[in-house]
Amino acid sequence: MRKPTPAASIPSAPTPVFSISPVVLPAPGRAVDLQVRVSAPVTGGELPIVLISHGHGRSNHLSSLNGYAPLANSLAAHGFAVIQPTHLDSKTLTLSPEHPDAPLYWRSRAEDMKRILDQLDAIERAVTALAGRLDRSKVAVIGHSLGGHTASMLLGARHKELHDGTEVNFTEPRIKAGVLLAAPGRGDALSKFAAENYPFFSTIDFSQMTAPTLVVAGDKDDSPHLTVAGPGWHADPYLLGPSPKSLVTLFDAGHGLGGISGYDVAETTDENPERVAAVQRLTWAYLRTALYPGDSAWQEAQSALTGAAKPLGRVESK
């Protein structure tokens, strides 16, 4: 008999889900209205909400509401209502590169997430199967890569305006916890390319990111186009942020963390279904315990990850 893998030993009991898109939210002042995908379990009430912020990849559709199915489906199957926006940097929108916030639209990204929370009533009207089933007191955010930067701002990380040094604060108090997947790190370790093309990264400050946060980083994710600090750069939100924080370092993982941005994604350099399964289950377990204090899911997940004969990664907490 085949022995269970470390990821498979992390507790999991999925249920059927539904997914609807696009749900279009009016967005005055935005270049286009905000389109979102909504996924949720077919049954159950008082569903916690998780917002997923996509990365800025080279694929046409992964950086949109059509990406990150491995995460969205898994979280919905484990009791979350999942909402995924298409940010303005998505290639699906083909917006003008002359926009002052192009190409990454880092401000608009954070505003998108706030707009979703402002319009939960509209989402429930559009997705009638979800009406009356949301627990708006339990909201979390997940972001991968550039989406991790978006999530970090919502969780309390700050920036400074480059022209005058004033503080930029997108902290969202309705968001109670978050997960940063392969997120950018400190601003003094940028590559020359990143410093010249994405200078806003240089002012990031994690010292006020007080919300409970899980940081997930791959020990092979050197991201040379963004940083000169190597894989450890992606652990900075944990190292430089105040407690409570946890860090999962996945062994042999690259920027795609095994392939979380989509099923069978060609751009994934470290394709590994077991690693994806570990990210799915660790993410769910962390958010479950963060939103429901006393729940044992996170402790059980940590034990399963690190207690195997060949662990998939290591966990630190503070």
Side-chain angles (χ1 to χ4, degrees):
M1 179 180 293
R2 183 179 178 182
K3 294 182 179 179
T5 64
S9 64
I10 299 174
S12 174
T15 61
V17 306
F18 69 85
S19 184
I20 296 176
S21 72
V23 177
V24 181
L25 303 178
R30 196 175 184 266
V32 294
D33 284 338
L34 177 60
Q35 295 189 11
V36 303
R37 174 182 294 274
V38 178
S39 305
V42 170
T43 60
E46 297 185 345
L47 303 176
I49 301 165
V50 62
L51 313 180
I52 297 180
S53 180
H54 62 71
H56 179 76
R58 61 182 181 271
S59 295
N60 289 321
H61 290 277
L62 294 177
S63 295
S64 77
L65 57 75
N66 292 316
Y68 294 85
L71 278 180
N73 292 348
S74 176
L75 287 163
H78 289 85
F80 280 85
V82 182
I83 306 176
Q84 299 172 256
T86 294
H87 295 304
L88 290 179
D89 64 295
S90 175
K91 287 187 176 181
T92 62
L93 299 178
T94 62
L95 298 180
S96 169
E98 303 304 318
H99 190 284
D101 281 342
L104 299 187
Y105 295 92
W106 64 279
R107 298 172 193 273
S108 173
R109 284 171 146 268
E111 291 165 354
D112 288 345
M113 307 303 247
K114 291 175 175 286
R115 184 175 280 112
I116 289 170
L117 296 179
D118 290 342
Q119 298 195 51
L120 289 176
D121 286 344
I123 290 173
E124 286 196 40
R125 287 193 297 270
V127 184
T128 55
L130 200 62
R133 298 175 61 202
L134 298 178
D135 185 345
R136 303 185 188 197
S137 71
K138 293 181 170 59
V139 181
V141 64
I142 299 172
H144 175 237
S145 193
L146 180 58
H149 174 265
T150 303
S152 73
M153 290 193 295
L154 295 165
L155 294 165
R158 308 294 168 83
H159 275 281
K160 290 183 179 179
E161 294 285 5
L162 293 171
H163 65 279
D164 64 6
T166 58
E167 184 179 76
V168 179
N169 181 3
F170 281 107
T171 305
E172 176 47 72
R174 290 172 291 185
I175 294 177
K176 307 304 183 183
V179 179
L180 309 183
L181 304 171
R186 67 189 188 278
D188 63 359
L190 297 180
S191 68
K192 180 180 179 182
F193 173 84
E196 292 176 350
N197 291 276
Y198 314 134
F200 66 89
F201 277 139
S202 67
T203 70
I204 190 72
D205 175 9
F206 298 107
S207 66
Q208 297 184 71
M209 192 176 71
T210 57
T213 305
L214 170 63
V215 178
V216 181
D219 67 0
K220 296 294 190 293
D221 182 9
D222 54 5
S223 300
H225 63 298
L226 292 176
T227 183
V228 297
W233 189 61
H234 297 287
D236 284 347
Y238 169 79
L239 297 171
L240 302 177
S243 62
K245 298 286 182 292
S246 291
L247 170 66
V248 170
T249 302
L250 294 174
F251 302 148
D252 297 318
H255 198 62
L257 303 177
I260 60 169
S261 62
Y263 297 115
D264 297 324
V265 175
E267 67 187 43
T268 299
T269 60
D270 65 326
E271 186 173 17
N272 186 312
E274 185 177 2
R275 189 172 297 136
V276 172
V279 174
Q280 290 171 327
R281 298 178 187 191
L282 289 164
T283 297
W284 166 79
Y286 181 84
L287 293 180
R288 179 71 194 179
T289 298
L291 296 176
Y292 299 91
D295 192 292
S296 63
W298 176 231
Q299 186 58 51
E300 293 171 6
Q302 292 180 77
S303 298
L305 178 77
T306 61
K310 187 178 179 181
L312 293 174
R314 64 177 181 270
V315 184
E316 307 168 45
S317 294
K318 63 180 183 181

